[in-house]
């Protein structure tokens, strides 16, 4: 078994998830790179290892129950506990469609990753999280999931009216609060984070921040001390409106 604290990041083969893995690895965590694709995952692990990080590949498709359960069983054989879980995997579909035209099929597909995926992974890894001394769970939300920001005409999030994506992140915020309440007695802190507008594949590189900049709030919430918050929603600059 490993003496380093361990961190699992879903969707860590690229983008913000990769930067979170790199940042936590640099802080001394053994990082488990969740990836649904073996080749993309292996390349990410190799890049992290080249940077001197203790990185492991964990095959994990958050939409697939048997994949998630197999990943949890695999990890249980290699670590005593899981100190950090970052539910980062996420997708956007139909970004240019008005809400009245988005199909139920797309809506369900987005929820399957962004909402049900995060719940599925959290539930499957709970035994390992409870075995760590004070685990941290981070839900990768978005400013677009904030009802406060998307209804504020002065916010950069006012105009992007994505039915599936925005509402999936609003649901994820509610899910974060629900897990935070249940897990508080176990010393597990659960917070949602918003990375800012980050240039990645997700948005065709239209964001303004680098993935490393977008990883800051997630890394902060993954490593908060015993006096830190739980059940909150945070960006790089601090608390965000729900
Ligand atoms: P990205 O570069 O497209 O990365 C998304 C990651 O999720 C990839 O590793 C992808 O894997 C993975 N993924 C997708 N579906 C998956 C599944 N079913 N199972 C496992 N992994 C899956 O996008 P990103 O911008 O870094 O996004 C990361 C998170 O930040 C998302 O939750 C996103 O909603 C959130 N976010 C991003 C921004 C932004 O400005 N970019 C803003 C707010 C929030 P593959 O390589 O296999 O597709």
């Amino acid at each position: 078994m490993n003496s380093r604290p361990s961190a699992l990041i879903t969707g860590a083969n690229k983008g913000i998830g990769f930067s979170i893995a790199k940042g936590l690895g640099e802080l001394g965590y053994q990082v488990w790179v969740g990836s649904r694709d073996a080749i993309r995952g292996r390349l990410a692990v190799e890049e992290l290892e080249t940077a001197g990080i203790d990185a492991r590949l964990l095959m994990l498709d958050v939409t697939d129950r048997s994949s998630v359960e197999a990943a949890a069983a695999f990890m249980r054989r290699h670590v005593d506990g899981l100190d950090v879980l970052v539910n980062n995997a996420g997708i956007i579909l139909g970004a240019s469609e008005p809400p009245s035209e988005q199909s139920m099929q797309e809506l369900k597909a987005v929820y399957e990753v962004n909402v049900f995926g995060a719940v599925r992974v959290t539930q499957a890894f709970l035994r390992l999280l409870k075995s760590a001394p004070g685990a941290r769970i981070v839900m990768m939300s978005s400013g677009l999931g904030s009802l406060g920001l998307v209804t504020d005409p002065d916010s950069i999030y006012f105009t992007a009216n994505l039915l599936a994506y925005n509402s999936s992140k609003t649901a994820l915020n509610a899910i974060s609060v629900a897990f935070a309440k249940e897990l508080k007695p176990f010393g597990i802190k659960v917070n949602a984070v918003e990375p800012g507008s980050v240039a990645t594949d997700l948005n065709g590189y239209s964001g303004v921040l680098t993935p490393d900049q977008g990883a800051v709030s997630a890394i902060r919430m993954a490593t908060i001390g015993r006096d830190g918050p739980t059940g909150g929603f945070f960006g790089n600059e601090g608390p965000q409106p729900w």
Side-chain angles (χ1 to χ4, degrees):
M1 294 286 172
N2 186 44
S3 57
R4 294 174 186 272
S6 55
L8 165 61
I9 304 99
T10 67
N13 54 285
K14 66 179 180 183
I16 301 169
F18 178 82
S19 287
I20 296 168
K22 182 157 58 84
L24 290 174
E26 286 166 353
L27 290 173
Y29 286 77
Q30 178 181 71
V31 290
W32 290 73
V33 173
S35 176
R36 59 178 166 169
D37 180 271
I39 294 171
R40 289 195 289 274
R42 174 48 56 198
L43 287 172
V45 166
E46 282 171 8
E47 194 176 334
L48 292 167
E49 284 175 339
T50 303
I53 288 164
D54 181 357
R56 309 287 159 100
L57 173 61
L58 192 66
M59 293 299 297
L60 181 55
D61 181 337
V62 303
T63 66
D64 180 344
R65 186 178 148 197
S66 58
S67 163
V68 172
E69 286 177 357
F74 182 82
M75 246 192 120
R76 279 197 295 271
R77 290 198 293 278
H78 290 86
V79 296
D80 292 323
L82 179 59
D83 298 276
V84 169
L85 168 63
V86 184
N87 282 302
N88 166 78
I91 59 168
I92 286 182
L93 294 175
S96 57
E97 294 160 353
S100 58
E101 288 174 21
Q102 184 149 43
S103 68
M104 290 303 294
Q105 198 184 1
E106 273 185 354
L107 199 64
K108 286 179 183 173
V110 170
Y111 273 58
E112 199 54 59
V113 179
N114 297 5
V115 181
F116 307 136
V119 173
R120 191 178 287 117
V121 171
T122 302
Q123 290 178 342
F125 285 83
L126 215 43
R127 216 169 96 195
L128 267 174
L129 288 158
K130 284 180 177 173
S131 299
R136 304 288 179 254
I137 301 174
V138 179
M139 303 291 194
M140 181 54 77
S141 183
S142 167
L144 290 170
S146 161
L147 295 176
L149 293 177
V150 296
T151 55
D152 175 359
D154 294 328
S155 167
I156 59 164
Y157 299 113
F158 184 73
T159 47
N161 193 18
L162 283 62
L163 179 68
Y165 184 78
N166 293 9
S167 64
S168 75
K169 295 297 187 180
T170 310
L172 185 62
N173 284 352
I175 285 162
S176 304
V177 172
F179 274 113
K181 286 182 180 175
E182 180 188 346
L183 299 177
K184 195 170 181 182
F186 299 93
I188 300 177
K189 294 182 188 294
V190 187
N191 289 290
V193 297
E194 116 81 357
S197 173
V198 184
T200 65
D201 276 347
L202 186 89
N203 51 26
Y205 294 86
S206 62
V208 294
L209 302 178
T210 65
D212 284 0
Q213 290 171 321
V216 168
S217 53
I219 293 170
R220 186 177 299 140
M221 284 304 136
T223 56
I224 37 161
R226 290 172 60 142
D227 296 338
T230 190
F233 182 29
F234 300 91
N236 286 356
E237 314 304 333
Q240 299 295 301
W242 294 111

